[in-house]
């Protein structure tokens, strides 16, 4: 199932105030919907700044949801062009202290260990407070379209290989969208 995304960013206030990012999603052929993410720099200043940097650089154009696990989360944030993905892979940032819990609809950066966040992030489908003690610091919340859009993302591929039917992250990094033709696409 190919899910196309369009991302429109509306900065509604000064840099440290919350602001909105609207995603237009093609859930299935002919089925388009939207969700709105409210970014909170006061929750996770480094994460919010990185998200804004990614938006400003059009990073999400061509990125896809590659790990969607029903009842847990939907993950995205590896660029579809391997050269761009490689440029960002080494741009790690320090962890923000966890000020908000990983509740349903909250958005956090993925991490592979201390101070390793780069571009991958996920939307929580349920309350995942167990992630708080692992330093997953929410920087945003879905304020519109969680039920109508995010809950309807294609979940058929689930966990990544080899544990599940989903794609291998190493191949996403090296092959990009040639490898991910069947997954959700983000456009700006």
């Amino acid at each position: 199932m190919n899910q196309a995304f369009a991302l429109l960013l509306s900065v509604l206030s000064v840099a440290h105030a919350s602001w909105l990012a609207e995603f237009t999603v093609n859930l299935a052929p002919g089925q388009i919907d939207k969700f709105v993410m409210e970014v909170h720099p006061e929750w996770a200043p480094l994460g919010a700044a990185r998200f804004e940097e990614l938006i400003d650089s059009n990073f999400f154009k061509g990125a896809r949801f590659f790990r969607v696990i029903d009842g847990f989360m939907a993950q995205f944030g590896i660029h579809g062009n391997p050269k761009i993905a490689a440029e960002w892979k080494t741009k790690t940032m320090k962890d923000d202290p966890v000020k908000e819990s990983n509740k349903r609809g909250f958005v956090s950066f993925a991490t592979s260990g201390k101070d390793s966040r780069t571009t991958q992030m996920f939307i929580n489908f349920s309350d995942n407070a167990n992630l708080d003690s692992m330093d997953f610091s929410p920087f945003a919340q879905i304020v519109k379209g969680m039920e109508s859009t995010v809950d309807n993302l294609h979940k058929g591929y689930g966990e990544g290989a080899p544990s599940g039917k989903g794609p291998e992250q190493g191949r996403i990094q090296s092959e990009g969208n040639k490898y991910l033709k069947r997954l959700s696409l983000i456009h700006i």
Side-chain angles (χ1 to χ4, degrees):
M1 178 180 296
N2 188 13
Q3 302 169 3
F5 273 77
L7 174 64
L8 303 171
L9 175 66
S10 302
V11 178
L12 299 178
S13 235
V14 294
H16 294 289
S18 62
W19 50 276
L20 302 176
E22 181 178 88
F23 293 76
T24 301
V25 184
N26 182 2
L27 294 169
Q31 184 184 358
I32 297 173
D33 213 331
K34 296 180 180 186
F35 69 88
V36 176
M37 183 185 301
E38 184 173 46
V39 180
H40 289 272
E42 72 277 12
W43 294 356
L46 299 174
R50 172 57 57 88
F51 182 70
E52 187 171 15
E53 181 182 8
L54 293 168
I55 294 292
D56 290 346
S57 69
N58 290 323
F59 176 85
F60 293 107
K61 184 174 184 177
R64 297 175 188 247
F65 279 97
F66 58 85
R67 185 174 175 228
V68 181
I69 302 172
D70 196 19
F72 181 39
M73 60 86 210
Q75 187 170 339
F76 63 104
I78 299 175
H79 197 278
N81 179 328
K83 289 180 184 178
I84 295 172
E87 289 172 16
W88 283 92
K89 188 176 181 180
T90 58
K91 294 182 179 180
T92 59
M93 62 179 162
K94 293 191 179 286
D95 294 333
D96 283 300
V98 177
K99 294 181 180 176
E100 292 291 327
S101 185
N102 281 275
K103 296 179 262 187
R104 174 173 165 72
F106 281 50
V107 185
S108 296
F109 274 89
T111 180
S112 60
K114 183 164 180 54
D115 298 331
S116 65
R117 299 178 301 161
T118 57
T119 60
Q120 295 183 46
M121 59 197 70
F122 60 91
I123 302 168
N124 288 287
F125 283 129
S126 61
D127 291 344
N128 293 312
N130 59 308
L131 299 176
D132 301 347
S133 64
M134 294 184 254
D135 296 325
F136 291 100
S137 181
F139 69 93
Q141 175 181 11
I142 306 303
V143 293
K144 181 179 178 188
M146 185 68 192
E147 291 80 15
S148 63
T149 306
V150 178
D151 284 345
N152 289 306
L153 292 171
H154 178 66
K155 299 172 187 70
Y157 35 86
E159 183 63 80
S163 302
K165 298 184 291 184
E168 298 175 45
Q169 289 189 35
R171 287 188 67 188
I172 301 169
Q173 292 281 350
S174 64
E175 299 175 44
N177 281 347
K178 288 181 182 177
Y179 174 62
L180 292 177
K181 287 180 183 175
R182 63 188 173 101
L183 303 180
S184 5
L185 178 61
I186 300 171
H187 296 281
I188 293 183

